[in-house]
Amino acid sequence: MSAIRSRLMMSALLAGGIALIPATACDRLPGRPKAAQSAQEGSPEWTVEVFNTSCRGCHAQGAVGAAVPLMDSAYWRAASDEQVTRGVLEGQGMLMPAFGLSGGGPFTPAQASALTRGMRALWGGGAQKSPEISGTLVAGNASNGKSVFDVACAGCHGVGGSAGSVTDPMYLRLISDQGLWTAVVAGRKALGSPAWNEPMPGRPNGLTTVEVADVVAYLSSQRPRSMSELKP
Amino acid sequence: MKPPRVVGMAIDWVEARTGAVAFLAPLLTHHVPRNAKWWYVFGSATLMFFTIQLVTGVCLATLYAPSAAEAWESLRYIDEEVPFGWMLRALHGWSSNAMVVMMAIHMLQVFLHASYKFPRELNWVTGVFLLFTVLALAFTGQVMRWDQDAYWGLGIGASIADRIPVIGNQVRGLLLGGPIIGGETLSRFFALHVFVLPGAALGLIGLHLALIMKNGISEMPKVGATVEPATYRAEYEQRMEKDGVPFYPDAAQRDMVFCGACLVLLVVLAAVYGPFGPGGQPDPTLIDTNPRPDYPFLWIFGAVSLLPPASETAVMLVAPLVGVLALVAVPFFANAGERAPSRRPGMVLIASLAVMAVAALTWEGKTSPWSPVMNAWSALPTPEHFLAGRTPLEVQGANVFQFAQCRNCHSLDGLGGERGPALDAIATRMTPDQLMRQIQQGDGNMPAFGRNLDSAQMTALVSFLSTLRPEFEAPAVIPGAQLPLPVQRMPGEVVTPVAVGSQ
């Protein structure tokens, strides 16, 4: 008799337990679908989501990612919002495709500039663009640039240099003047390249703003003007 | 514990007018084999899931709007605004999958134990029809979600129908209610899902159960206990009389415990994982979609995706026919003799192969490695160890690698598409020249990129790819380059070539 009783009790408890799951905690159960709401445009969540699907492949943190790292305050100190937004919308050089609607991409101009502001807020380290140096290309003197390059850069970045040559015509063909400017100004810390005002071998105090412009002008002058100049 | 007198009086009153007890009592107490134990619970569990489908399905039908314009929105309404609505959909969806799984297990057990042999051939045949009815319910149920999965699932179903020779067009029209997927299609599938198929299932279940009552539950197979159609029935009835146990409560309590456990599992799955879909709006202009069929059909999706294109029509149209016929035919060419699996190795082999094939194809369908990962190029960064210490040109090559969307088909560090080979160590297998040729001209499954990349991009890409190898492995070389370097020849001098390893 007691066996039957305990069996009945067990069954009742089990049934009650099953019924309790939905009855008590229905709203907090993990399976409940979340109301479909996409993150507010310009919010940090939205920025991260957009960055992760559209930008991260090339522009990820540190040395991860092949192009200029956007999760890096060094870049945001050098870049202006207008320039980043324009890059997003129109692309840049030969390897950054246009992400604006008119270029076949997903973003309206408003979204591109919201994305830029969102990224600066997340990764700019609180810094506005550094007033010390322009974010966009400034014209310089190529022959002065060559002498600066030979002293400050060629040790690592010249032909046969430890970091590989930046005067390689194929490399120069692929990178725009603005790309060179950003590379010199922001550096690639994680890959061992200093920013413009950081110590370099042969230049303990880095470069001056004029020297940056001159070096970029020199590198630009080394770029082959047509494909026929390239000898692979 | 004695029931109150009034209960007994009520039962007597009903019994006198309907004969219900006299009808039900033999059903409940009919004798079943003593040794059946836990092997025979799967059919009952399938029936329980079907009952849950009926109850939750009727509830859902009161909330669902079966019109193309409103269906998707009405699912959102059920999920978000109806109290317990999402739970209802979750139970219906999970119970549907559970029913298919339970049915497959039940069928496998019957097949392995050869319970389909005389006199239970028609039990098996009605079971096969039930299987297809339930699969049809699952497919039409997926259409009810009216999302992208439903839309493209229908599209694939319709184009398979379209392949039928001569009448393909008409069959597709019949299926879709017109030349294209539209409002008519949903109405048609709704009618199938809530009237025709459940009705068919109910009828078949009734028949299946009636046949079980008529023929009795089969015993556990025993080596040497062969089925002889001439004498089987009389002997079976004799054995049940002597050694059987009444279905209720002996076997029924095991069924109840197992069904109870299944029910708990179902509620937990529904509560934790929630309802299926709906995915995106069923808009054919949205091409940024990755539709997949529901679980019961993933293996078909996998099989169809892996078919060589030339064989598609033949396999898609013939294989299902052969499959149905083979399943139906099982008890007719093997309805007597041994039932023990150990004496039927061929059948055990067939069952094992079928299970493995379905499992493997389901896995393939789920992971679908043949599909490029369309946002890999913009979402998956080049791993750091493939960039550190590279020259500027090689780093630009990594940019080309992302820019040209190589990553969508080729993984690095296990991340990226799997349509092409992983490229982590490509430099150990291909020389720069071979890489250049492969990228420019394409080969095998790979399209040619020669027209999409200029020579600077190509050079950068190849120089990047040429760095992709572990430090301890040598780079690839052209086989001929392993020969000793030829001696500089003077005019008129004759040099005999020396084969490698001949010294």
Side-chain angles (χ1 to χ4, degrees):
Chain A
M1 204 63 204
S2 71
I4 293 174
R5 254 179 64 108
S6 69
R7 194 175 286 184
L8 276 173
M9 296 252 299
M10 281 295 293
S11 313
L13 275 176
L14 202 63
I18 295 172
L20 268 177
I21 296 175
T24 55
C26 197
D27 284 354
R28 281 171 287 140
L29 287 171
R32 187 187 165 107
K34 310 285 170 287
Q37 48 178 358
S38 43
Q40 173 97 38
E41 230 167 68
S43 70
E45 299 77 41
W46 176 85
T47 306
V48 167
E49 192 187 311
V50 168
F51 179 82
N52 280 346
T53 48
S54 297
C55 319
R56 188 161 160 257
C58 298
H59 297 287
Q61 190 170 24
V64 186
V68 181
L70 292 184
M71 297 165 90
D72 184 347
S73 56
Y75 173 76
W76 292 103
R77 270 197 299 279
S80 69
D81 283 3
E82 304 79 66
Q83 166 207 343
V84 177
T85 305
R86 196 169 59 240
V88 171
L89 288 173
E90 297 167 11
Q92 184 162 79
M94 286 181 73
L95 297 177
M96 163 90 187
F99 280 82
L101 276 179
S102 55
F107 304 132
T108 63
Q111 285 171 322
S113 90
L115 177 62
T116 303
R117 286 195 307 275
M119 289 193 290
R120 181 183 291 286
L122 282 172
W123 303 311
Q128 286 306 301
K129 196 198 86 56
S130 156
E132 296 166 46
I133 190 158
S134 162
T136 41
L137 181 69
V138 172
N141 181 318
S143 58
N144 287 348
K146 172 157 174 47
S147 41
V148 176
F149 183 84
D150 286 343
V151 177
C153 319
C156 301
H157 300 293
V159 176
S162 60
S165 170
V166 293
T167 52
D168 183 326
M170 292 292 188
Y171 167 73
L172 288 172
R173 176 89 193 154
L174 290 174
I175 190 162
S176 64
D177 287 355
Q178 177 61 51
L180 287 169
W181 181 270
T182 306
V184 176
V185 169
R188 283 296 294 271
K189 190 170 239 156
L191 291 177
S193 300
W196 69 287
N197 54 1
E198 287 173 347
M200 307 166 182
R203 273 304 174 91
N205 297 320
L207 304 175
T208 66
T209 52
V210 175
E211 285 172 336
V212 170
D214 291 348
V215 166
V216 170
Y218 164 65
L219 290 175
S220 177
S221 73
Q222 296 302 106
R223 178 184 295 123
R225 293 299 143 207
S226 71
M227 295 304 288
S228 59
E229 281 182 49
L230 284 172
K231 293 194 192 71
Chain B
M1 251 187 357
K2 254 183 101 138
R5 235 171 74 81
V6 62
V7 175
M9 281 168 65
I11 290 177
D12 289 344
W13 190 89
V14 174
E15 174 62 7
R17 284 153 186 83
T18 60
V21 175
F23 175 74
L24 285 174
L27 298 188
L28 285 174
T29 56
H30 77 278
H31 276 205
V32 298
R34 181 182 294 279
N35 59 0
K37 300 286 176 198
W38 292 94
W39 277 102
Y40 290 9
V41 295
F42 305 116
S44 312
T46 311
L47 183 58
M48 178 197 72
F49 285 125
F50 181 76
T51 315
I52 291 175
Q53 290 306 82
L54 283 186
V55 175
T56 52
V58 167
C59 295
L60 283 171
T62 62
L63 298 164
Y64 177 74
S67 91
E70 295 161 50
W72 195 85
E73 180 57 28
S74 79
L75 289 190
R76 198 204 55 77
Y77 169 74
I78 295 172
D79 272 355
E80 290 170 19
E81 289 173 42
V82 177
F84 293 97
W86 70 271
M87 183 50 116
L88 206 56
R89 282 196 59 232
L91 287 172
H92 197 69
W94 282 101
S95 169
S96 151
N97 284 341
M99 179 163 59
V100 173
V101 169
M102 210 47 80
M103 200 165 195
I105 296 176
H106 175 53
M107 202 162 179
L108 202 62
Q109 179 260 320
V110 167
F111 185 83
L112 287 175
H113 286 177
S115 305
Y116 53 76
K117 293 197 174 187
F118 179 87
R120 304 188 181 83
E121 294 97 330
L122 291 179
N123 296 34
W124 172 267
V125 173
T126 51
V128 169
F129 286 136
L130 265 173
L131 174 73
F132 288 106
T133 310
V134 165
L135 287 177
L137 274 164
F139 185 82
T140 52
Q142 179 187 323
V143 173
M144 292 305 102
R145 285 209 300 274
W146 207 241
D147 56 5
Q148 284 170 359
D149 288 352
Y151 184 89
W152 294 107
L154 272 177
I156 289 164
S159 49
I160 289 177
D162 224 10
R163 286 171 189 255
I164 301 173
V166 188
I167 54 162
N169 256 319
Q170 282 74 12
V171 174
R172 186 200 54 193
L174 188 71
L175 212 62
L176 300 184
I180 56 159
I181 301 168
E184 297 270 331
T185 317
L186 181 56
S187 305
R188 204 154 278 217
F189 276 80
F190 182 73
L192 281 175
H193 188 70
V194 305
F195 299 117
V196 180
L197 292 168
L202 279 172
L204 284 166
I205 289 172
L207 205 55
H208 199 65
L209 292 178
L211 287 169
I212 291 170
M213 294 308 300
K214 162 78 181 149
N215 296 322
I217 302 269
S218 73
E219 293 149 294
M220 284 296 282
K222 235 184 348 208
V223 176
T226 56
V227 174
E228 309 297 343
T231 54
Y232 178 82
R233 196 182 283 280
E235 286 175 6
Y236 173 82
E237 273 161 18
Q238 207 180 354
R239 282 197 298 273
M240 283 308 106
E241 194 63 37
K242 203 172 93 219
D243 195 35
V245 290
F247 172 72
Y248 184 88
D250 288 62
Q253 66 186 6
R254 271 192 295 272
D255 283 350
M256 282 188 249
V257 169
F258 185 72
C259 287
C262 285
L263 194 60
V264 172
L265 187 68
L266 173 71
V267 173
V268 169
L269 282 173
V272 174
Y273 294 104
F276 292 88
Q281 295 259 22
D283 181 344
T285 62
L286 297 173
I287 53 164
D288 185 18
T289 172
N290 198 6
R292 288 286 178 277
D294 284 354
Y295 283 105
F297 306 104
L298 272 176
W299 67 279
I300 300 176
F301 170 71
V304 170
S305 302
L306 290 169
L307 280 180
S311 71
E312 277 173 3
T313 301
V315 175
M316 281 178 192
L317 297 183
V318 177
L321 219 61
V322 171
V324 176
L325 284 178
L327 276 177
V328 169
V330 164
F332 294 103
F333 63 79
N335 81 327
E338 284 281 1
R339 283 183 53 218
S342 60
R343 294 298 162 95
R344 298 162 50 246
M347 291 307 216
V348 175
L349 187 68
I350 290 174
S352 318
L353 287 177
V355 170
M356 282 191 283
V358 169
L361 287 172
T362 300
W363 173 254
E364 289 293 310
K366 182 76 190 155
T367 53
S368 36
W370 52 83
S371 287
V373 180
M374 293 312 278
N375 68 357
W377 70 280
S378 63
L380 298 175
T382 317
E384 175 166 359
H385 60 98
F386 291 132
L387 291 168
R390 266 48 172 196
T391 67
L393 183 67
E394 287 157 1
V395 173
Q396 287 299 308
N399 273 322
V400 178
F401 188 73
Q402 303 287 133
F403 166 81
Q405 312 200 351
C406 308
R407 199 73 185 276
N408 293 10
C409 292
H410 295 285
S411 69
L412 289 178
D413 258 9
L415 295 175
E418 293 179 79
R419 193 178 174 93
L423 297 183
D424 299 73
I426 187 63
T428 65
R429 303 196 296 275
M430 292 176 93
T431 65
D433 287 342
Q434 289 171 321
L435 285 166
M436 182 77 81
R437 193 216 59 76
Q438 176 71 30
I439 299 165
Q440 278 188 334
Q441 301 178 349
D443 198 1
N445 246 333
M446 178 165 162
F449 281 82
R451 290 160 75 104
N452 303 52
L453 300 173
D454 75 6
S455 65
Q457 290 171 321
M458 189 68 82
T459 308
L461 179 56
V462 168
S463 68
F464 168 68
L465 291 173
S466 300
T467 68
L468 297 184
R469 64 182 169 86
E471 271 173 37
F472 50 84
E473 277 190 64
V477 287
I478 301 170
Q482 289 167 330
L483 290 171
L485 288 171
V487 183
Q488 190 71 45
R489 261 194 285 181
M490 302 305 285
E493 192 186 348
V494 178
V495 177
T496 328
V498 182
V500 172
S502 70
Q503 289 137 2

